[in-house]
Each structure stands twice: as C-alpha cells, then as structure tokens.
Amino acid sequence: MSTLVSPTTLAPAAAGRREPITDWRPEDPEFWEGTGAPVARRNLYVSIFAEHVGFSVWSLWSVMVLFLGPEYGIDPAGKFLLTAVPAALGAVLRLPYTLAVVRFGGRNWTVVSALLLLVPAVPMALLIEPGVSYATLMVLACLAGVGGGNFASSMANINLFFPERLKGRALGLNAGGGNLGVPAVQLVGLAVLATAGAAYPRLVPAVYLPLIVLAALAAVRWLDNIPGARNEPGALRAAAREPHTWVMSLLYVGTFGSFIGFGFAFGQVLQLQFQDRFPTAVDAAWLTFLGPLVGSLIRPLGGQLADRLGGARVTFWNFVAMAAGAGLVLYAARDRSFPLYLVGFLALFVFSGFGNGSTYKMIPAIFRARAAAEAELTGDRAAAERRARRLSGALIGIAGAVGASGGVLVNVAFRQSFLASGTADAAYLAFIGWYALCFAVTWVVYLRPGRRKLADV
C-alpha cells in the first residue's frame, strides 16, 4: 500500500549515536550489502518482537475465558462473545494501522501501537475478579482488539525495508513470529493455571505489562523511520473496484480467519465437547497452545511450496484438506473419539497456517500476471509494474482486514451451534461448506483452463 518515491543514501552515524535515516535504496546491490542489510535486519528483529507482543495481547481472551468459572456467572455463549469482540476490533483496525506507518513513520507508530496495548492490559490486570460485570468484561475484551492492528502496521513497515527479492522471506518471518504470540499467551495462561490456579486470571495480562513497555523502548532505541514513503493516492479505491481483491479476501477469511478464530475458540470447544476429559481449565490449557503453535510454524512452508508449485494450486488443495479436516472433526465429535478429534483439529490449524502462506503469495502473482498482459497491450512495462505494485499493496491491506473478520465468524458459528443444539456439529458443517466454496472459487477463478486464466498464479 505504500511505496518509496526517492532513492538514497544512509546518513552517517555520529560519534556513538545512531543518526536518523535520510534516504533509503534497498534495490541498489552495493548500498544493500554495505549499509542496508544490517539496518533492515535490526528493524525486522525488533518488529517481530513488538508484533509478537501485540498478537499475544490480541489473543488474551482465548486464555481468560478458561479462568471464568461458575462464580463469574457466564454461560458458554457469553464466553464465545468475549472471544469474538477482540477479533472484530482487530479486523477493523488493520486498515488504519497499515496507513499509519507511512503517515507517522514506522518507528513512531510502533512505539505508539505498543503503548496502546497497555489500554486493555492494565485494566484487565486490575479488574478481573468474581463479581465483575459482564459489560465490563465485554469492554475489556473489545479493547484487546488493538493488538490485532499491530500485525498490519508491522508488515507494512518491514515491507519498506527490504528489496523485492527478499521481501517474501522477511515478511514470512515477521508474520510467523507475530502469529506465535497466540500459543505463547496460551502457554503463559497454562503456567498461571498450573502454579497460581484459576483464581488469579489477572496474572496473565500482568505478565505482559513489562513486555509491552520493553517493546516500546526497543522500538524507540532500535527502529528507524523510512523517508520518502507515501500512501498511494487512490490505491484503496482502485483495489476496492478490483474483483480479485474480494476473491482473495474470501480466501483469506478461510485461511487466516480460521487460524485466529480456532486459536481463540479451541480451549472452550474442548471443554464443551469433551467435558468428561477436560473438567477444569488446567486440563484444557495443556492442549490449547498446540494448534496455534503448529499453525504458526508451518506458515512459511506454505509460501515456499507456493513459490515452487504455484499459489493457486497449493491453495486449492489446501482448502480440500481443510474441508477433510473439518469433516474428520465432525465425525470424531459425533463418535466421541477424542484422538480423532484432536488429529482433525490439529490438521485444521496446520492447513490454515499453510494456507496463510500460499494465499499471501498469490496476491503479487495475480498482479504480475496482469502487468505482463497490460505491458503487451501498451508497450509500457514500467508503468504496468508500478500499477501492479500499487494494487498489490492495497489488496494486501484490504484482504488482511477482511480476513481477520473470519475470527469473528468462527466464534459466532460455535456460539450459535451450541445455543441451538448443545453441540458444535452445525459449526463444523458451516466450516466444511465455506472451505468447499473456497476451493471451488480458487478453481474457477485461477486454475480452470481457458483464455482468461492468469499465468503463474
């Protein structure tokens, strides 16, 4: 969504003090090898840490609901709403957070966005105890959504630092490190449950208070603002008129939306689906982190396989596998087979993470193919490639925001299913239907042979 508009050199460092960057040209090999690469790597490492903390705060309520026992007076439907509202706010904030990087500077906005994590974490550490009203819990859960915006701004910022040939790996590391915040906060919750017990939910957000401050201080000390970057005027409007934007948004709902939705809901679903096996929150917490962990670790592999075989082909078969995984979960739930149920759910996490990588790889490939066709007609390859980069960046911003809303849909589907029938069967059927829609759309739009098929997507 943002581009660099002036080539550059880096300002020299003065007597032991790191000077601000005055210019930046990562596509220049000599500049990159001599000066750019160390600066970019330093910004990447700090960005991963700050984004990881943001993702953990966004995911706090996947853990907090496990602490809300009978003394809180909240039924399962109410708990699913508590995990849905942070996903909703996180989705809404992704687009403005993306734009804020160029408007305020990557370093500056990382400091601000890190400190904003204190807004939900501090009152959560002070207020959550038996007797707190459900309305208060809903407000606190909604505020945790600010962590969902950090992913978008972090990706937009790191995108500015690396040359085109290295962006895939850098963005993959940045995204994977952020996604690991989901299992990390669940491990923190497990540690609190296993040591202090379920009576102390406030300890979980309290653990993150010093980490939030450390992320802000690290951004102040080691991050940089890139000069000459600007938001492309009209890029969002142009991308919103592009049909591929909405096709890819639908597919991203199926991949990232499933990952974050299942990550938020898995612990609750385990306790409801197998109450005899998981009578307490500690019992469920031993397993809740596994799914998000494998889904986060597998994400880069989806992108790498898409590079070799084509993003659309990998995404198609990935959705077939997700539909099969949801079918296995449905069968195991009805058969009361916990081993099969766990295998099926872990498969959903694996393939949702895998699909995150492959769908992300499809976006620039779509517009490279469009640019090649446009250049053949106009003869102006440079202009076609500029337009492709402009639309690709805008599409990533829109798809990221829409895709995160899938986390809301997953939790609402579970809530309505348990309310209607006391089981999650209807939710699993809905997931199978959605994944079937996704692989059908992938085939029709990107894989079906024909004159209008895009090459190399």
Side-chain angles (χ1 to χ4, degrees):
M1 180 171 304
S2 44
T3 59
L4 298 178
V5 297
S6 64
T8 80
T9 55
L10 190 64
R17 183 169 60 88
R18 185 169 52 83
E19 291 291 330
I21 294 175
T22 56
D23 291 303
W24 188 250
R25 47 187 171 97
E27 300 297 343
D28 180 340
E30 183 177 350
F31 171 85
W32 176 255
E33 294 300 328
T35 304
V39 173
R41 284 195 295 268
R42 184 186 70 237
N43 279 266
L44 174 62
Y45 299 150
V46 176
S47 177
I48 288 173
F49 172 64
E51 184 197 339
H52 177 92
V53 174
F55 239 98
S56 294
V57 171
W58 191 25
S59 308
L60 270 171
W61 283 89
S62 69
V63 174
M64 302 308 293
V65 292
L66 299 179
F67 287 85
L68 304 181
E71 64 273 22
Y72 287 85
I74 304 172
D75 62 10
K79 291 182 181 180
F80 279 117
L81 279 182
L82 288 173
T83 52
V85 290
L89 182 62
V92 170
L93 290 179
R94 281 190 159 202
L95 205 52
Y97 266 54
T98 299
L99 298 173
V101 167
V102 171
R103 176 67 179 83
F104 301 106
R107 171 181 177 270
N108 301 342
W109 184 250
T110 302
V111 174
V112 171
S113 62
L115 292 176
L116 283 173
L117 300 175
L118 294 172
V119 174
V122 170
M124 285 175 67
L126 295 174
L127 299 177
I128 298 180
E129 60 183 12
V132 65
S133 70
Y134 184 70
T136 299
L137 293 177
M138 283 290 285
V139 171
L140 294 177
C142 184
L143 290 175
V146 297
N150 288 28
F151 174 86
S153 57
S154 179
M155 295 290 276
N157 185 40
I158 291 305
N159 185 61
L160 297 174
F161 279 92
F162 285 82
E164 289 293 333
R165 70 184 188 279
L166 299 177
K167 282 184 180 182
R169 182 174 182 273
L171 293 175
L173 290 171
N174 198 52
N179 288 357
L180 283 170
V182 182
V185 74
Q186 292 169 349
L187 284 170
V188 170
L190 172 61
V192 171
L193 285 167
T195 55
Y200 298 95
R202 293 185 293 185
L203 291 178
V204 180
V207 166
Y208 279 91
L209 296 180
L211 295 177
I212 292 168
V213 174
L214 182 60
L217 292 176
V220 170
R221 176 65 181 86
W222 288 299
L223 289 190
D224 298 284
N225 294 320
I226 290 290
R230 64 183 176 89
N231 290 313
E232 287 279 7
L236 284 175
R237 288 192 297 273
R241 294 192 295 267
E242 171 59 59
H244 290 287
T245 296
W246 305 109
V247 173
M248 293 307 304
S249 295
L250 180 146
L251 300 183
Y252 205 54
V253 167
T255 55
F256 180 77
S258 293
F259 171 81
I260 198 65
F262 293 146
F264 284 11
F266 188 39
Q268 294 182 77
V269 174
L270 278 179
Q271 282 194 287
L272 291 170
Q273 200 82 63
F274 295 93
Q275 292 178 350
D276 55 335
R277 188 178 286 265
F278 301 103
T280 70
V282 177
D283 298 313
W286 281 104
L287 286 176
T288 53
F289 73 93
L290 282 178
L293 178 63
V294 296
S296 300
L297 294 176
I298 203 78
R299 177 174 181 150
L301 297 181
Q304 291 173 17
L305 192 61
D307 282 339
R308 293 177 56 191
L309 303 178
R313 183 179 302 171
V314 172
T315 297
F316 172 81
W317 287 110
N318 189 78
F319 278 121
V320 172
M322 290 183 75
L328 180 59
V329 169
L330 174 61
Y331 172 81
R334 289 178 170 176
D335 198 50
R336 303 294 299 164
S337 171
F338 176 70
L340 278 180
Y341 185 87
L342 183 60
V343 168
F345 232 118
L346 288 178
L348 284 175
F349 275 110
V350 166
F351 290 114
S352 65
F354 203 82
N356 279 340
S358 65
T359 50
Y360 235 69
K361 286 288 186 179
M362 286 176 66
I363 293 173
I366 289 167
F367 290 106
R368 280 198 302 269
R370 295 279 296 274
E374 181 181 332
E376 285 186 7
L377 293 174
T378 64
D380 191 342
R381 178 169 294 276
E385 290 177 350
R386 283 195 302 270
R387 173 178 163 78
R389 286 192 296 270
R390 177 173 176 259
L391 290 178
S392 179
L395 193 159
I396 287 173
I398 294 173
V402 175
S405 68
V408 183
L409 299 177
V410 167
N411 282 271
V412 169
F414 279 127
R415 177 182 185 273
Q416 295 307 117
S417 184
F418 279 111
L419 274 177
S421 63
T423 73
D425 290 4
Y428 302 139
L429 288 170
F431 302 150
I432 293 170
W434 186 267
Y435 302 144
L437 172 65
C438 287
F439 70 65
V441 168
T442 304
W443 168 262
V444 170
V445 179
Y446 299 115
L447 291 175
R448 183 177 57 175
R451 181 175 55 86
R452 304 182 71 177
K453 179 186 174 184
L454 293 175
D456 300 322
V457 173

